[in-house]
Amino acid sequence: MIFNSQTHSGNTAIETRHTPIAIHVLSKWYLSAFVILVLHSFAQTSHAQFDNYSASPINYNKTEVNDPVAILARRVESGEAKLQYDKTQGFLPAVLKALDIPVSSQTLVFSKTSMQRSRISPQRPRAIYFNEEVYVGYVQKGGVIEFAATDARQGATFYTLEQSATLRPQFIRDQGQCLTCHSSNRTQNVPGYLIRSVFAKPDGMPEFGKRTFTTGHNSPFKDRWGGWYVTGTHGDMRHMGNTTIKNREEQIDRNTRANLKTLNELVSTVPYPSPHSDIVALMVMEHQTQMHNAIAWANYETRRAIHQSESMNRLLERSQTLLSESSERRIDSAADRVLKHLLMCDEFVLTSPVKGTSAFTSDFESRGVRDSQHRSLRDFDLKSRMFRYPCSYMIYSKAFDGLPDEVRNRVLRKLKQILEGNVTGEDIEKYAHLSDKDRSNISQILKDTKSEFAAVCKIEVKDKDDDSER
């Protein structure tokens, strides 16, 4: 429940025969009792209603967004930007160029698990392309191109663009249909993104008698990419990609089509911009989608916590800047969630080297901001873990920078403490995967490349110096 004081402001009416003092005292008594009731109700229902983002303070469906797709849509509408229609792939090449999305990010999914499922099959997989802000879905002879884009404040927003050579290009914002799948515990209970791994049948339909997996950087390798094509080498590790099962009793064959460098024997990739479904691109997309969701959750939860405190403050005639203890705890928890994903906690340990087949690895690294020693958080390891320096490059994202100050500052302050080894309690085990060298490297890179982090470090050093002088 998000309490709205305007809705309930009339509940303290008192009969006029009381004296002014009695009225004031009795009003305060009723008000206190009512506040306790509201807080109790909130505590009982908040965990069951994390999807309450249509109302204040989120107003998901009503708020104008400024994600890259929304900006492109406005440019196309005004005539500032033109999208050329390709006779084979429609608007796909044009939108990838306009949105600065590399073709090398292409991955191919053949399970019928998305909006245009009737057009998807192992013979005609859906292609997905992405950068750090936008995901694009393309289906052969599909009616539309699908977009999911990240707004710095509102998180994931979904669009379609009709594939028509005769109609003027028009991006249509989704009004809730996409949230049937893209808003659940699989997306951390916010409008968000997910990579699903399923036991796919020969026609691409998932075998619903078996479980499905929502995958991230923490997922066991053996549970990844069911219903996807995968190109790349991965040694003795095995995944669920490149294969199907006939029925629920059949065991999936993880060996025959492992370590594929080409899809030539499985599917024609001629209709696509790239012949690859790169394993490194898949790994990065898994991490990025759940990192996006964690940031969006922290954004929403912080705004809801502040909104709750402001409502209580109005009722109790307190300063509007006061945060209740419960709101403080909620924001602390949101910051911890971001840090858990940011620092790659519980990441699956690779037991063999991983190597992709496209230019994705070099393309991805080339987009990274680098420190004075030419190090970047986009640098890959791909031997025992995904990144050489286990701190997500998403710390540079507009979504991270768009977090409310109350939570973003907590993330940065605690990040500094973690990197200094200044942790206690359960955090000791949570961040034990970070070696002293990891912590030092990450700290140095961020001081050079993330001005806000560098500022936090300087402020805390100054505070320590001031304390010592006293």
Side-chain angles (χ1 to χ4, degrees), residues 171-196:
F171 294 84
I172 305 300
R173 181 175 173 180
D174 176 67
Q175 295 301 308
Q177 179 182 355
C178 293
L179 300 185
T180 303
C181 296
H182 285 273
S183 177
S184 69
N185 61 348
R186 293 179 182 271
T187 64
Q188 301 186 43
N189 296 300
V190 293
Y193 314 107
L194 71 158
I195 306 298
R196 290 184 68 185

Side-chain angles (χ1 to χ4, degrees), residues 112-132:
K112 295 178 182 292
T113 49
S114 60
M115 184 178 73
Q116 299 183 84
R117 61 181 62 86
S118 64
R119 299 176 184 265
I120 300 170
S121 70
Q123 292 73 42
R124 288 186 174 181
R126 176 180 181 237
I128 297 177
Y129 309 85
F130 69 98
N131 60 18
E132 46 293 337

Side-chain angles (χ1 to χ4, degrees), residues 322-339:
L322 179 68
L323 280 177
S324 66
E325 290 184 7
S326 64
S327 293
E328 294 275 7
R329 287 192 297 270
R330 291 171 66 185
I331 298 172
D332 284 340
S333 178
D336 284 341
R337 182 183 295 210
V338 171
L339 284 161

Side-chain angles (χ1 to χ4, degrees), residues 420-435:
E420 290 175 343
N422 185 21
V423 292
T424 58
E426 62 182 20
D427 285 344
I428 296 175
E429 182 177 355
K430 183 186 294 184
Y431 301 108
H433 65 290
L434 298 172
S435 67

Side-chain angles (χ1 to χ4, degrees), residues 273-293:
S274 165
H276 306 281
S277 185
D278 193 276
I279 190 171
V280 181
L282 281 163
M283 292 172 67
V284 169
M285 188 163 59
E286 286 175 323
H287 161 72
Q288 182 176 293
T289 50
Q290 291 302 326
M291 185 76 251
H292 264 142
N293 295 342

Side-chain angles (χ1 to χ4, degrees), residues 108-111 196-200 225-229 240-243:
L108 299 173
V109 54
F110 60 82
S111 63
R196 290 184 68 185
S197 178
V198 304
F199 291 87
W225 310 317
W228 296 74
Y229 287 119
M240 293 171 58
N242 299 329
T243 191

Side-chain angles (χ1 to χ4, degrees), residues 235-453:
D236 61 5
M237 298 186 295
R238 294 294 179 264
H239 56 74
M240 293 171 58
N242 299 329
T243 191
T244 61
I245 61 170
K246 295 178 181 177
N247 53 59
R248 70 179 65 182
E249 286 75 28
E250 184 179 2
Q251 296 297 312
I252 194 166
D253 178 5
R254 290 181 169 88
N255 292 309
T256 303
R257 294 170 177 171
N259 292 294
L260 291 187
K261 296 182 180 180
T262 175
L263 298 174
N264 289 346
E265 296 182 3
L266 300 180
V267 63
S268 171
T269 57
V270 172
Y272 302 92
S274 165
H276 306 281
S277 185
D278 193 276
I279 190 171
V280 181
L282 281 163
M283 292 172 67
V284 169
M285 188 163 59
E286 286 175 323
H287 161 72
Q288 182 176 293
T289 50
Q290 291 302 326
M291 185 76 251
H292 264 142
N293 295 342
I295 292 173
W297 165 256
N299 189 317
Y300 281 23
E301 182 69 350
T302 300
R303 288 158 63 189
R304 286 187 289 223
I306 293 171
H307 184 73
Q308 179 204 3
S309 278
E310 290 174 346
S311 298
M312 296 301 103
N313 292 340
R314 282 193 293 272
L315 282 170
L316 297 175
E317 299 178 0
R318 302 183 305 202
S319 168
Q320 283 296 291
T321 61
L322 179 68
L323 280 177
S324 66
E325 290 184 7
S326 64
S327 293
E328 294 275 7
R329 287 192 297 270
R330 291 171 66 185
I331 298 172
D332 284 340
S333 178
D336 284 341
R337 182 183 295 210
V338 171
L339 284 161
K340 178 182 177 181
H341 286 79
L342 197 69
L343 292 173
M344 312 292 288
C345 293
D346 303 321
E347 181 182 9
F348 176 79
V349 177
L350 303 177
T351 57
S352 294
V354 173
K355 186 177 181 180
T357 56
S358 75
F360 177 80
T361 298
S362 58
D363 287 348
F364 180 85
E365 289 185 335
S366 71
R367 296 166 76 99
V369 57
R370 298 194 172 273
D371 72 355
S372 58
Q373 299 183 48
H374 204 64
R375 297 173 299 186
S376 170
L377 296 184
R378 283 179 176 255
D379 289 343
F380 286 110
D381 175 70
L382 299 177
K383 296 174 183 177
S384 62
R385 61 193 183 195
M386 185 157 33
F387 296 115
R388 182 177 301 174
Y389 311 108
C391 177
S392 179
Y393 59 95
M394 293 296 288
I395 196 171
Y396 303 111
S397 68
K398 293 179 182 178
F400 182 89
D401 289 343
L403 284 169
D405 292 347
E406 291 82 356
V407 68
R408 191 183 68 260
N409 291 337
R410 292 176 201 224
V411 170
L412 292 171
R413 287 196 300 267
K414 188 166 183 179
L415 176 60
K416 176 182 178 293
Q417 293 173 355
I418 294 168
L419 297 180
E420 290 175 343
N422 185 21
V423 292
T424 58
E426 62 182 20
D427 285 344
I428 296 175
E429 182 177 355
K430 183 186 294 184
Y431 301 108
H433 65 290
L434 298 172
S435 67
D436 290 344
K437 186 175 181 180
D438 288 335
R439 295 170 196 251
S440 176
N441 287 335
I442 294 168
S443 180
Q444 291 169 16
I445 291 170
L446 289 175
K447 286 178 182 177
D448 264 12
T449 61
K450 184 73 176 175
S451 59
E452 196 172 26
F453 179 79

